[in-house]
Amino acid sequence: MDTTPSQAANFHDYSSPVDHFRWQDLPVESFAGTHDLIGLGPWGPYGKRYFGLSYLPGPSGVRIDIIVALELHRRSISIPHAIKESGYLPWSANEDLSNYSYRQQILAKDQLYADVKFKRCEEDAYQIEVNWTNNTPLNRDVRLHLCVGLQALAEGAWQPQTIDAVDVALPSGADWVDALDYISSNFGCSPAPGLNADGRKQGECVQDGFVGGLGIEWPAGNRQHKVDYAFPGNCGRKLQVRYKASQKRTIQIHTGTTVHSLELPESRCASLSPVIELPGNCESISIQSEMAEGLRLDGLHIYNADPPIYSKRSNGFGALKQQHKGKASLHWENLPGELELELGEETFNRSYSGDLEQALLLGMHNHVSPQLSAPGVGYYHDFIFPKCRLSAHSSVRHEYIVRWKNGQAQLHSRSTHSEIHANHQPDLEGAEKLRFGVDRLAATLLTNLVYPVRIKGSVIRHFPPGRWWDMLYTWDCGFIGLGLGEIAPRRAVEILNTYVTEPGDPDCAYIQHGSPVPVQHYLYFDLWQKTQDRNLLAFFYPRLAQFLRYIAGLDERSPMRPFKNSLISSWPLFYNSGGWDDYPPQYYLHNLGDEYELRNRTAPMVMSSHVAAAADIMAMAARELNEDPSEWENLAESLSADMDAYAWDPESGLYGYLEHTHDGTPLKILSHDPSGQSYNLGLDGAMPLLTGRINSERAIRILKILADTERFLTPLGLSTVDQTAPYYQSDGYWNGATWIPYQYIFWKVSLDAGDSEFARKLALRVLRSYNRETEDSYCCFEHFMNDSGRGAGWHHFGGLSSPIINFFAAYFRPGRINTGFRAWLHSQKWEPEFNGVRFEVSTLMTTHTNTPVVLVTINPKSKVSITINDQPVECAQTIPGLLELPLRSDTKRQKVEILGR
């Protein structure tokens, strides 16, 4: 059985003076005003429903998918269906996706399979390599299908809804101003003022027949709404509004001092309003109306002589030109080029409309029809290759090339630097027993990419937790960034940028979807700790400050501080406080507990703890940038003090969900009926440890509880809920399972608390259980069941599982320095081959009784001497090459020297 990775994950060498973030090609300022992964090119694994190779030819939202389907001749067909377990397994990937692969199982595990590789071979061409392997004692007949289709703009992946978009062409003297390109509006938003859901623009809607499939929708109600537009210079004098309306509506168009009252007849399809003559010096207009529910605007159509021309975007079959010697080309109307295929041998071509998997299954035993129709959405050309005989215990390789010709993609091209700056030093002892799971996760993480995803009136490429979730996910993607920081730092910075907005953004203080946990601040901290890149620190500081002020309730628009104390409630934004769906007290408040009233009066500890930790990170960043840290210090102190003052439950030894009276006064700990125990016997109750500021005796007690194998510590890691709690369930989702993100959080807490033994024990338990499951199933699961130790949930999960990569790097990759969240690296300089390092670090004041620990991984062959502020220090290596070094109890800078001798 071949379980050898075809390409292991490349861990970046942060100790060398390379341009990790490729600032020289795309400087940090290029992130301003965009949320896309701008360092990637138009080729990649961007498909939403099936995994393969995609090309983005340019028009917004358009994608061409190239899918490899493998047939066990006239018996079954294996297709890499990306939103269910289908036998396809992400296997390898490099940082810029110039080389990635997956394994497709055809028979039971590794009996008969193919490794399918995609490798850039020219600037605008990829080689597809299919390596068939037959590990059985019998001959096998197989056949390959190469399926190519233009994908319609759609919402959703698991049940896509097609959007019929149009494109606009502009004759000389004509202009188009999209409805979403307004300069200001007052349409209102959700879920709260200043925080439009999913980074949408105010009023944004999806609409068939509109340019790009998007427009704005007039809200319900009789309030006066207004939207303002600026015009391009030297625009035409004739203006028409392109719109849809469920009934007749009237709008007012203000052009300077002139007001035009414009009646828009009912129209279920996109129509143009009567013409308005613009004054010669008109540079902007305002559109106003009240009681215009059901009105949708596509944009403004401006011209003098020849008006803009609208054409329906092609979503169907391409024009196929079959050539001799296995060459073919496909051209789609309105796309600026064509796809060339070099197939190497003659193929039979068949076309399918509908869902590709269903069409292939319907066609399995239909040997005559050149066209097939199946339920669902899609248009595909299937290039069917001749049968291939695989002898017993043999392998066969086939190669094909796909190329885009005569067109230029409108996305940023890839970086001119395609080499990977990898850490080639061997792993530390014991790493080889854990590497398989790490490599599978790295491949999954790097290839969990989709396009298009809507944000701020445009579409982007994005890393979702998995293709089932074809959307933005704030807290999951913070963890994705943490994992990417070890293997693809440019991607880590790009995904951080996806979730922040420009300072002063009126619609979105940050990009919000799901639990508003500030993992982006942990990612910001981690990237600084790795690089000390001041450009990055300065660029993201005001953006993350805006983010944090909102979720801390310091932004006047924020609803997150509703009590007569500083404690935070995230219920106004989302049902989920800390990413844990069926966490018992949260589930009770939303489903059983006096419904809305009690929920609004109760504060969990998780968000206040996260915000306090993020505030301390921002304070350390502020001092590094010579900014005033007092705002953040005061925030962290007030949150910690209020949790200590009101939420401690001495009976359980944990903090409780805190009920308040109707006027916001602290009342009592939320209890479980009928046991009478605190309802917060879970990791939420331990979260105040994260602040480093709570009562020291309480902190000691919580750390002992976390290490108790009867309560929290399992062979997998920390259970989300105390196993002795009366509401603990062995078959729960977050209740009764171990999840990796909070292993990372409490690992960091343990380093801050100076408990390096518990931190190591936790990380290694997580790594071993993850690797054991991945070796058996080849899947990268999202959570693990406490009673069986088995993985469960989504099978190609690249979201909350990402810290597996961070744990591995921290303990087994030479050239890493890791701290908790309360130690700040000011500089680091490594000796060649990681034989030693000099660094400066400072720590925050803490109530923990032990001093914080820093983890340093060096060349295990190196013999070193260690000093802190020129004073000798002894430090045993628990793993050869791993130093778990206690720092001094001193908030001033500490100079650490670990020098080879």
Side-chain angles (χ1 to χ4, degrees):
M1 181 173 61
D2 177 17
T3 60
T4 303
S6 56
Q7 181 182 345
N10 286 312
F11 282 82
H12 274 256
D13 175 8
Y14 285 99
S15 65
S16 65
V18 299
D19 181 18
H20 296 290
F21 302 124
R22 313 283 167 81
W23 295 147
Q24 295 170 4
D25 299 313
L26 293 170
V28 66
E29 291 77 15
S30 63
F31 288 125
T34 184
H35 300 272
D36 194 17
L37 304 173
I38 60 176
L40 290 177
W43 295 92
Y46 302 132
K48 294 188 174 186
R49 194 165 178 79
Y50 302 102
F51 187 85
L53 177 66
S54 298
Y55 183 75
L56 311 181
S60 178
V62 174
R63 189 183 77 244
I64 297 170
D65 286 345
I66 302 152
I67 310 299
V68 175
L70 306 174
E71 180 184 336
L72 185 56
H73 189 51
R74 295 179 185 166
R75 287 183 52 190
S76 64
I77 192 158
S78 300
I79 182 170
H81 203 303
I83 53 174
K84 67 177 184 180
E85 288 198 53
S86 60
Y88 105 85
L89 307 158
W91 208 249
S92 68
N94 64 4
E95 178 188 10
D96 64 358
L97 298 173
S98 60
N99 193 337
Y100 64 95
S101 72
Y102 70 93
R103 175 166 294 186
Q104 180 71 57
Q105 303 286 1
I106 303 170
L107 294 180
K109 185 179 179 182
D110 290 332
Q111 291 183 22
L112 176 64
Y113 67 91
D115 285 324
V116 182
K117 301 181 181 181
F118 304 96
K119 184 177 181 179
R120 183 186 294 130
C121 57
E122 301 170 17
E123 182 65 25
D124 249 335
Y126 265 67
Q127 175 182 289
I128 301 173
E129 180 182 308
V130 180
N131 293 277
W132 303 86
T133 298
N134 177 14
N135 282 330
T136 73
L138 300 174
N139 296 336
R140 303 289 175 177
D141 289 334
V142 295
R143 168 176 276 175
L144 183 136
H145 297 248
L146 194 64
C147 304
V148 181
L150 176 68
Q151 303 308 305
L153 190 64
E155 286 274 280
W158 63 275
Q159 196 171 4
Q161 301 296 311
T162 300
I163 303 165
D164 291 324
V166 303
D167 293 312
V168 58
L170 300 176
S172 178
D175 288 293
W176 167 257
V177 178
D178 196 273
L180 284 165
D181 289 340
Y182 50 72
I183 55 176
S184 64
S185 68
N186 67 345
F187 275 100
C189 59
S190 65
L195 197 66
N196 287 7
D198 296 319
R200 302 291 194 254
K201 299 194 76 172
Q202 289 191 37
E204 181 179 331
C205 67
V206 172
Q207 183 60 61
D208 288 342
F210 277 13
V211 173
L214 299 176
I216 60 172
E217 181 176 18
W218 232 257
N222 59 4
R223 187 167 66 89
Q224 183 81 19
H225 296 282
K226 174 186 173 186
V227 60
D228 301 321
Y229 295 96
F231 285 168
N234 300 317
C235 67
R237 300 286 298 278
K238 297 178 181 179
L239 178 142
Q240 291 176 285
V241 176
R242 196 167 190 266
Y243 75 98
K244 286 186 179 182
S246 59
Q247 55 187 295
K248 184 174 71 174
R249 293 302 184 194
T250 301
I251 60 174
Q252 292 78 44
I253 296 184
H254 295 246
T255 59
T257 58
T258 305
V259 179
H260 303 267
S261 184
L262 191 61
E263 287 195 356
L264 303 177
E266 176 185 341
S267 178
R268 303 287 175 162
C269 61
S271 301
L272 291 169
S273 72
V275 174
I276 291 176
E277 292 288 338
L278 296 173
N281 60 349
C282 186
E283 296 181 350
S284 64
I285 67 166
S286 292
I287 301 177
Q288 301 181 25
S289 184
E290 61 182 43
M291 295 187 67
E293 182 180 358
L295 173 63
R296 295 188 171 199
L297 301 185
D298 186 15
L300 307 176
H301 157 121
I302 310 165
Y303 65 102
N304 280 324
D306 297 323
I309 302 167
Y310 304 93
S311 59
K312 184 177 179 180
R313 185 173 289 177
S314 173
N315 290 328
F317 293 112
L320 172 63
K321 183 180 179 183
Q322 194 93 33
Q323 302 172 2
H324 294 298
K325 297 182 181 179
K327 291 188 176 182
S329 65
L330 284 166
H331 172 72
W332 290 268
E333 187 179 1
N334 300 324
L335 292 188
E338 64 181 18
L339 189 73
E340 278 192 350
L341 300 98
E342 294 183 10
L343 306 176
E345 53 188 317
E346 300 299 331
T347 60
F348 169 65
N349 186 257
R350 178 181 270 176
S351 59
Y352 307 128
S353 61
D355 179 76
L356 178 59
E357 182 182 49
Q358 295 194 56
L360 286 166
L361 290 173
L362 287 171
M364 174 67 61
H365 302 295
N366 182 332
H367 309 300
V368 294
S369 300
Q371 296 180 340
L372 287 172
S373 180
V377 175
Y379 296 91
Y380 288 90
H381 296 270
D382 182 8
F383 297 89
I384 305 172
F385 288 75
K387 177 180 73 71
C388 171
R389 183 173 68 88
L390 285 177
S391 300
H393 299 293
S394 70
S395 297
V396 173
R397 186 176 72 178
H398 294 128
E399 295 179 357
Y400 318 97
I401 291 176
V402 292
R403 179 184 294 105
W404 188 256
K405 291 199 69 177
N406 303 321
Q408 295 296 322
Q410 295 176 0
L411 295 162
H412 286 283
S413 63
R414 65 180 177 90
S415 167
T416 56
H417 295 291
S418 60
E419 70 273 13
I420 302 300
H421 299 294
N423 180 335
H424 297 294
Q425 190 71 23
D427 295 335
L428 271 58
E429 182 178 311
E432 69 281 356
K433 297 179 181 179
L434 304 170
R435 187 69 196 246
F436 185 83
V438 171
D439 289 335
R440 297 291 73 71
L441 177 59
T444 298
L445 185 62
L446 285 164
T447 58
N448 265 352
L449 268 169
V450 293
Y451 175 90
V453 170
R454 290 170 55 207
I455 187 171
K456 301 289 284 183
S458 62
V459 292
I460 63 169
R461 292 159 290 185
H462 184 53
F463 286 103
R467 280 175 168 78
W468 181 272
W469 298 275
D470 174 28
M471 62 190 74
L472 301 157
Y473 251 91
T474 306
W475 99 294
D476 290 71
C477 288
F479 283 105
I480 290 172
L482 284 167
L484 289 172
E486 301 289 354
I487 57 176
R490 179 74 193 191
R491 303 291 86 78
V493 179
E494 288 169 344
I495 201 167
L496 173 60
N497 189 62
T498 297
Y499 286 87
V500 297
T501 55
E502 297 303 299
D505 187 304
D507 297 331
C508 304
Y510 66 98
I511 302 301
Q512 161 65 25
H513 181 102
S515 304
V517 181
V519 188
Q520 282 69 26
H521 294 76
Y522 303 149
L523 173 55
Y524 177 61
F525 173 81
D526 189 66
L527 290 169
W528 167 262
Q529 297 290 83
K530 285 179 165 61
T531 67
Q532 289 78 61
D533 189 307
R534 293 187 65 82
N535 290 335
L536 179 146
L537 196 73
F539 179 83
F540 284 107
Y541 180 81
R543 291 160 173 81
L544 287 166
Q546 178 173 269
F547 184 149
L548 190 58
R549 288 187 185 107
Y550 197 97
I551 63 171
L554 301 180
D555 186 318
E556 63 182 9
R557 302 167 297 176
S558 172
M560 296 187 69
R561 191 178 284 205
F563 310 118
K564 289 184 176 179
N565 52 46
S566 63
L567 298 182
I568 292 166
S569 172
S570 58
W571 311 133
L573 297 187
F574 197 58
Y575 79 92
N576 194 318
S577 61
W580 30 46
D581 297 88
D582 62 343
Y583 187 74
Q586 175 178 282
Y587 183 85
Y588 170 77
L589 288 179
H590 286 281
N591 296 280
L592 305 172
D594 198 19
E595 296 184 349
Y596 194 73
E597 183 181 8
L598 181 58
R599 183 183 69 197
N600 264 14
R601 294 191 289 107
T602 304
M605 297 300 103
V606 62
M607 276 302 298
S608 294
S609 302
H610 277 303
V611 167
D616 276 329
I617 288 170
M618 293 298 288
M620 291 186 285
R623 282 190 286 272
E624 187 72 38
L625 294 168
N626 297 317
E627 301 278 351
D628 182 2
S630 59
E631 175 186 12
W632 310 121
E633 292 170 337
N634 294 337
L635 172 60
E637 179 58 37
S638 64
L639 288 167
S640 304
D642 283 349
M643 286 189 284
D644 249 350
Y646 304 118
W648 172 249
D649 177 43
E651 182 178 346
S652 68
L654 299 168
Y655 290 77
Y657 265 41
L658 181 64
E659 287 187 48
H660 295 75
T661 63
H662 288 284
D663 69 353
T665 302
L667 181 61
K668 63 187 179 71
I669 300 297
L670 178 69
S671 62
H672 171 253
D673 185 25
S675 73
Q677 296 185 56
S678 167
Y679 223 143
N680 201 24
L681 298 181
L683 291 183
D684 182 288
M687 278 299 292
L689 269 177
L690 181 60
T691 69
R693 296 170 179 269
I694 62 169
N695 177 283
S696 60
E697 293 181 359
R698 296 173 183 176
I700 292 170
R701 187 175 174 186
I702 294 173
L703 287 167
K704 289 180 179 178
I705 290 172
L706 290 175
D708 186 341
T709 56
E710 297 295 319
R711 298 189 67 178
F712 280 98
L713 186 60
T714 78
L716 310 172
L718 293 172
S719 173
T720 309
V721 175
D722 186 337
Q723 297 170 100
T724 67
Y727 36 79
Y728 174 86
Q729 295 176 343
S730 62
D731 62 347
Y733 187 53
W734 279 82
N735 181 4
T738 295
W739 286 75
I740 293 166
Y742 280 100
Q743 315 305 310
Y744 179 83
I745 297 298
F746 284 98
W747 176 67
K748 287 285 193 179
V749 167
S750 300
L751 295 177
D752 280 331
D755 194 343
S756 58
E757 182 179 355
F758 183 73
R760 179 178 4 99
K761 180 186 296 184
L762 189 60
L764 293 182
R765 287 190 181 202
V766 174
L767 283 168
R768 288 166 184 156
S769 59
Y770 192 87
N771 192 72
R772 181 176 61 247
E773 175 62 49
T774 307
E775 284 188 332
D776 179 74
S777 66
Y778 284 177
C779 293
C780 294
F781 284 113
E782 55 177 316
H783 66 284
F784 294 79
M785 305 311 297
N786 290 344
D787 52 0
S788 68
R790 295 310 303 264
W794 192 247
H795 57 294
H796 293 328
F797 198 64
L800 303 177
S801 299
S802 299
I804 288 291
I805 296 175
N806 301 89
F807 287 150
F808 184 87
Y811 287 94
F812 296 105
R813 294 301 298 167
R816 290 293 192 270
I817 302 175
N818 277 275
T819 69
F821 288 130
R822 302 180 63 75
W824 185 263
L825 288 173
H826 298 277
S827 64
Q828 59 181 299
K829 185 175 182 181
W830 285 84
E831 292 186 353
E833 299 182 352
F834 311 108
N835 286 320
V837 62
R838 294 176 174 88
F839 63 90
E840 288 192 354
V841 60
S842 58
T843 60
L844 296 178
M845 289 293 293
T846 181
T847 55
H848 291 302
T849 54
N850 293 329
T851 61
V853 169
V854 57
L855 305 182
V856 184
T857 48
I858 61 172
N859 187 331
K861 296 179 181 179
S862 178
K863 305 296 183 181
V864 297
S865 61
I866 307 171
T867 61
I868 298 180
N869 293 338
D870 299 321
Q871 299 298 311
V873 173
E874 295 295 324
C875 182
Q877 298 184 27
T878 52
I879 298 172
L882 171 67
L883 301 172
E884 299 170 321
L885 183 63
L887 297 172
R888 301 293 176 92
S889 297
D890 190 348
T891 59
K892 297 179 181 179
R893 287 196 185 192
Q894 300 177 50
K895 182 181 68 174
V896 181
E897 293 186 329
I898 303 172
L899 303 179
R901 59 180 187 220

